[in-house]
Amino acid sequence: MKVTKKIVLEEHDMPTQWYNIVADMVTKPQPMLNPQTREPITQKDLEVLFSKGAAEQELSTERWIDIPDEVRDLYRIYRPTPLVRASGLEKALDTPAKIYFKNESVSPVGSHKLNSAIPQAYYNKIQGIQHLTTETGAGQWGSALSIACKHFGLDLKVYMVRLSYEQKPYRKSVMHTYGATVIPSPSDTTEAGRAMRAQYPNTPGSLGMAISEAVEVALQQPNTKYALGSVMSHVCLHQTIIGLEALKQMEIAGDYPDVVIGCFGGGSNFAGISFPFMRNNLVNGAKTQFIAAEPALCPKLTQGKLIYDYGDTEGFTPLIPMYSLGHDFEPAAIHAGGLRYHGAGAILSQLLKDGLYEGRDIDQLDSFKAGVLFSQVEGIIPAPESTHAICAAIQEALKAKEEGKEKVILFNLSGHGLIDMASYDRYFAGDLH
Amino acid sequence: MKVTKKIVLEEHDMPTQWYNIVADMVTKPQPMLNPQTREPITQKDLEVLFSKGAAEQELSTERWIDIPDEVRDLYRIYRPTPLVRASGLEKALDTPAKIYFKNESVSPVGSHKLNSAIPQAYYNKIQGIQHLTTETGAGQWGSALSIACKHFGLDLKVYMVRLSYEQKPYRKSVMHTYGATVIPSPSDTTEAGRAMRAQYPNTPGSLGMAISEAVEVALQQPNTKYALGSVMSHVCLHQTIIGLEALKQMEIAGDYPDVVIGCFGGGSNFAGISFPFMRNNLVNGAKTQFIAAEPALCPKLTQGKLIYDYGDTEGFTPLIPMYSLGHDFEPAAIHAGGLRYHGAGAILSQLLKDGLYEGRDIDQLDSFKAGVLFSQVEGIIPAPESTHAICAAIQEALKAKEEGKEKVILFNLSGHGLIDMASYDRYFAGDLH
């Protein structure tokens, strides 16, 4: 028996509070603006779309926010998740680096998305809301919100990016099994959808378009709210449970990361693994490097501009201060559907501006190559999104080898790819570029 | 926070030995016979097809057999697996019963099959074997053996039942990603396959047919052995790690099962969860009830006869004393591909004859209904095979309700169904019967 492979925590070790990084930021994020008045958004403005609980958390500056018992109760279906030593990957790369990953793929829907789906459904439930709408890219968020809504007795309508709807038909089946309604976006069921189909008849859709549709329905239908799977500060907050657990687990392992890596779509998965460690950079003088791995074909962090932009294509959301490629940016039809988003959330944009982390562009072919290697040496076939983080981790491990350094690398395995096998098929067939 | 949801064990709590129930059986299983001589099979006979390690274990009467360090090392990728309190299911059924399940779906290939794939690949590796062949039904066994072979540097050819090959295309992609070759069976690549296609031109295939093809190749190709995913005593042995862990976990939970349930194809999954508890019936006077849930359309336990029969369709294997529907039985095209097998292994057949457990026939529609309920209340979408165990567990929980008894029920969740979503689609579409 070699080094410990998995660091597991007991249920009673699960964090009781989420971490809100805003409390520790030197420069606070710029406020979101009400697009009509261009005044900073208020909780009341947010409550038009979101649950009261989410709206309150969105603007909170409290450092620690209690996780409700009902939420922790459901988290226990899969949490705490294991921290795994990627010993197979270390050996394959022949690197002196120690590589760890937080394995969020053990969630029953296969990804980290449940971490925010559960509280979002819960806050709507206690407010008496009966219907939710949402968007989903690869389908991970939609699946997560479907089971969370089923648990709390809410009805859910999911607008799924058409490209993913076609690429990943099993995701729709998962949502269906959990009792949700799934509509490929853009659709004919909303004004926004019809307008987008008129403008781009052959569009594969995008997260921005699907958000517009879901928001439109939430605004028009009684007793209905909207839930978003990333970007927003309250979603990043919920995801910090990943990093909070990882902090404890790294301590048990006797290591502290020199590098922390997450893939980046709207930013909540990256926030989740990073923020609890970034706190030590902000307040305790730690020097950890943070890398957000994004698709080279959707390079908001390296090529975007920090502007006030809409979160969706049609312009229904508040104006968000974001590194953005423009809300009408139409991302290429890459297979990492969860990363096909034009902008970064407000907190994440401020942190990028302030140099707390860096974006790294990953080519699609390199991401799948990394995913296949990881599959073969660690056994877990990663989601196409997560392969971006793996690819960056491999780059860092090879750099450590060149430099002869025993670096400690931590990345988040945000999800498995068992429902994305058609993407791997296309990779092996040489159809991807 | 309510009752503990998951009982987790640390890596160092993982069993160091497998349990061989033969040592405790009052009536030992009848020997397998060499079909030429009709003499009891010898280790040397078995070594023609299987690794030396597997052949030795097949005939062993030792009670405890050490798990090699290299095997335990790989087990740690996913083991120990959690024991979960099915509190959501209890609530949905409003039953006084306590329901627990062992969650083998957390394995990276999604099922318990890795428990035997790893040691089988290992024993071939240390013997210097370079090539393995095998069969797979639903693809769970083939996926597991693929990653195990990749780890130990063995080349693998998988004959996959044609019905499953078509129903579950992602399974083939998983095996491909792990580096294996996958051929739909019956195929044109073997004499057995060609003969079966001539006899049954439209056959969807079966495990028995796929075994014939894999065995034929193993017998003809140099430096090649065959590996089987169930039925054989050494496979049942490897799977006992499930029940051995569950024993420890039930003790931590402070309960002991009144009923233990597993689904049943060749029997290794049922053996795995049952044997360590059955030992207490055999030697300690425990009165636990054991239920093997089989498809009503493949009812070997309730309708089969205890005869000497072949393990495969063509008659290449030793003669096995088995409750069998006949080695030429062509099972209906049900979606639980892993349960489409005509016979029960030798140990399991003797135990059935001696009344140590009972078979229970589950209708396909009932199995999917149970699977959907379980998905919605526990979050995990079960494999079509596992839904049979869930269905039997629900029947027992409802019986406990009728009787007003606080029964303790334990079942094995052998795998998740994320790659079987097309089966759920057909269920919802009303296409199944």
Side-chain angles (χ1 to χ4, degrees), chain B residues 153-172:
Chain B
L154 300 166
D155 164 75
L156 174 67
K157 190 176 281 180
V158 182
Y159 285 89
M160 182 172 189
V161 174
R162 187 174 291 276
L163 176 69
S164 296
Y165 187 88
E166 286 159 8
Q167 281 175 346
K168 302 169 204 277
Y170 284 13
R171 274 288 164 203
K172 170 193 44 143

Side-chain angles (χ1 to χ4, degrees), chain A residues 1-6 8-11 69 72-73 76-80 108 147 150 167 169-170 173-174 176-179 372 375-376 378-381 416 418-419 421-422 424-425 428, chain B residues 1-6 8-11 69 72-73 76-80 108 147 150 167 169-170 173-174 176-179 372 375-376 378-381 416 418-419 421-422 424-425 428:
Chain A
M1 305 288 277
K2 304 166 196 162
V3 294
T4 305
K5 181 72 185 167
K6 291 188 311 303
V8 294
L9 298 175
E10 303 269 352
E11 285 181 4
D69 273 357
R72 292 187 75 224
D73 204 40
R76 298 183 309 155
I77 288 179
Y78 63 103
R79 304 212 71 86
I147 186 62
K150 171 55 71 178
Q167 280 175 347
Y170 284 13
S173 314
V174 168
H176 192 190
T177 301
Y178 290 145
V372 171
S375 302
Q376 297 188 344
E378 293 293 334
I380 306 168
I381 300 182
H416 66 61
L418 290 178
I419 298 195
M421 294 315 301
Y424 280 88
D425 284 348
F428 285 119
Chain B
M1 304 286 278
K2 304 167 198 164
V3 294
T4 304
K5 182 73 186 164
K6 292 188 309 305
V8 294
L9 298 174
E10 302 268 352
E11 285 181 4
D69 273 357
R72 293 186 76 224
D73 203 41
R76 299 183 308 154
I77 288 179
Y78 62 104
R79 302 211 74 86
I147 186 64
K150 172 55 72 176
Q167 281 175 346
Y170 284 13
S173 313
V174 168
H176 192 188
T177 302
Y178 290 146
V372 171
S375 302
Q376 296 188 345
E378 294 293 332
I380 305 168
I381 300 181
H416 67 62
L418 291 179
I419 297 195
M421 294 315 301
Y424 280 87
D425 284 349
F428 285 118

Side-chain angles (χ1 to χ4, degrees), chain B residues 74-267:
Chain B
L74 266 187
Y75 274 172
R76 299 183 308 154
I77 288 179
Y78 62 104
R79 302 211 74 86
T81 63
L83 179 79
V84 186
R85 180 77 180 267
S87 45
L89 187 58
E90 290 173 14
K91 196 176 151 197
L93 300 173
D94 187 26
T95 175
K98 293 182 184 177
I99 310 175
Y100 293 88
F101 63 92
K102 183 72 170 158
N103 186 4
E104 292 290 304
S105 80
V106 298
S107 130
V109 297
S111 83
H112 68 296
K113 290 293 191 186
L114 263 179
N115 301 334
S116 188
I118 293 169
Q120 289 200 53
Y122 169 75
Y123 290 124
N124 278 289
K125 171 65 181 179
I126 58 172
Q127 195 183 334
I129 300 299
Q130 288 175 318
H131 309 278
L132 278 186
T133 67
T134 196
E135 81 297 333
T136 197
Q140 301 266 23
W141 167 248
S143 302
L145 195 62
S146 296
I147 186 64
C149 283
K150 172 55 72 176
H151 180 85
F152 290 114
L154 300 166
D155 164 75
L156 174 67
K157 190 176 281 180
V158 182
Y159 285 89
M160 182 172 189
V161 174
R162 187 174 291 276
L163 176 69
S164 296
Y165 187 88
E166 286 159 8
Q167 281 175 346
K168 302 169 204 277
Y170 284 13
R171 274 288 164 203
K172 170 193 44 143
S173 313
V174 168
M175 292 182 257
H176 192 188
T177 302
Y178 290 146
T181 304
V182 188
I183 301 162
S185 166
S187 74
D188 287 329
T189 67
T190 65
E191 276 183 42
R194 287 187 292 270
M196 289 179 280
R197 294 185 68 153
Q199 196 178 349
Y200 311 102
N202 297 315
T203 181
S206 71
L207 279 166
M209 292 185 193
I211 294 172
S212 291
E213 292 206 89
V215 167
E216 180 182 320
V217 174
L219 290 173
Q220 290 178 351
Q221 188 176 286
N223 206 9
T224 304
K225 298 284 178 196
Y226 165 70
L228 185 57
S230 190
V231 184
M232 305 290 284
S233 301
H234 65 277
V235 185
C236 295
L237 174 78
H238 301 153
Q239 294 295 353
T240 59
I241 194 163
I242 301 172
L244 291 167
E245 285 180 6
L247 257 179
K248 290 192 192 189
Q249 290 164 311
M250 290 298 295
E251 197 180 330
I252 294 170
D255 277 320
Y256 190 86
D258 299 303
V259 188
V260 174
I261 300 168
C263 61
F264 199 107

Side-chain angles (χ1 to χ4, degrees), chain A residues 112-389:
Chain A
H112 68 296
K113 291 292 191 186
L114 264 179
N115 300 334
S116 187
I118 293 169
Q120 289 199 53
Y122 169 74
Y123 291 123
N124 278 289
K125 172 65 179 177
I126 57 171
Q127 195 183 334
I129 300 300
Q130 288 175 319
H131 309 279
L132 278 186
T133 68
T134 197
E135 81 296 333
T136 197
Q140 302 264 23
W141 167 247
S143 303
L145 195 62
S146 297
I147 186 62
C149 282
K150 171 55 71 178
H151 180 85
F152 290 113
L154 300 167
D155 164 75
L156 175 66
K157 191 175 279 180
V158 182
Y159 285 89
M160 183 172 188
V161 175
R162 187 174 291 275
L163 176 69
S164 295
Y165 188 90
E166 286 159 8
Q167 280 175 347
K168 302 169 204 279
Y170 284 13
R171 273 288 165 204
K172 171 193 43 147
S173 314
V174 168
M175 293 182 257
H176 192 190
T177 301
Y178 290 145
T181 304
V182 187
I183 300 162
S185 166
S187 75
D188 286 329
T189 68
T190 65
E191 277 183 41
R194 288 187 291 271
M196 288 180 280
R197 294 184 69 153
Q199 196 179 349
Y200 311 102
N202 297 315
T203 182
S206 71
L207 280 166
M209 292 185 194
I211 294 171
S212 291
E213 293 204 271
V215 167
E216 181 182 317
V217 174
L219 290 173
Q220 289 177 353
Q221 188 175 286
N223 206 9
T224 304
K225 298 284 179 195
Y226 165 72
L228 185 57
S230 188
V231 184
M232 304 291 284
S233 300
H234 65 276
V235 185
C236 295
L237 175 77
H238 301 153
Q239 295 293 354
T240 59
I241 193 163
I242 301 172
L244 291 168
E245 286 180 6
L247 257 179
K248 290 192 193 190
Q249 289 164 312
M250 290 298 297
E251 197 180 330
I252 294 170
D255 277 320
Y256 191 85
D258 299 303
V259 188
V260 174
I261 300 168
C263 62
F264 199 108
S268 70
N269 149 68
F270 174 73
I273 187 74
S274 295
F275 285 0
F277 292 95
M278 207 177 274
R279 176 167 192 240
N280 286 332
N281 278 29
L282 286 166
V283 303
N284 295 326
K287 301 283 183 204
T288 296
Q289 180 189 7
F290 295 90
I291 300 172
E294 65 178 0
L297 292 172
C298 193
K300 72 199 123 252
L301 302 176
T302 59
Q303 310 286 325
K305 289 200 170 62
L306 182 52
I307 53 174
Y308 267 105
D309 199 1
Y310 292 104
D312 68 316
T313 306
E314 283 295 291
F316 289 155
T317 70
L319 285 164
I320 307 173
M322 44 165 55
Y323 276 91
S324 174
L325 297 163
H327 65 276
D328 54 355
F329 176 78
E330 215 195 352
I334 56 169
H335 280 258
L339 308 185
R340 295 178 69 247
Y341 187 68
H342 63 278
I347 293 176
L348 288 152
S349 291
Q350 188 62 47
L351 290 168
L352 182 64
K353 187 182 176 204
D354 293 344
L356 269 297
Y357 72 98
E358 64 199 83
R360 178 165 305 173
D361 291 349
I362 305 289
D363 284 325
Q364 179 164 246
L365 276 183
D366 291 340
S367 78
F368 275 99
K369 190 177 164 198
V372 171
L373 174 63
F374 187 79
S375 302
Q376 297 188 344
V377 296
E378 293 293 334
I380 306 168
I381 300 182
E385 292 79 10
S386 313
T387 59
H388 289 71

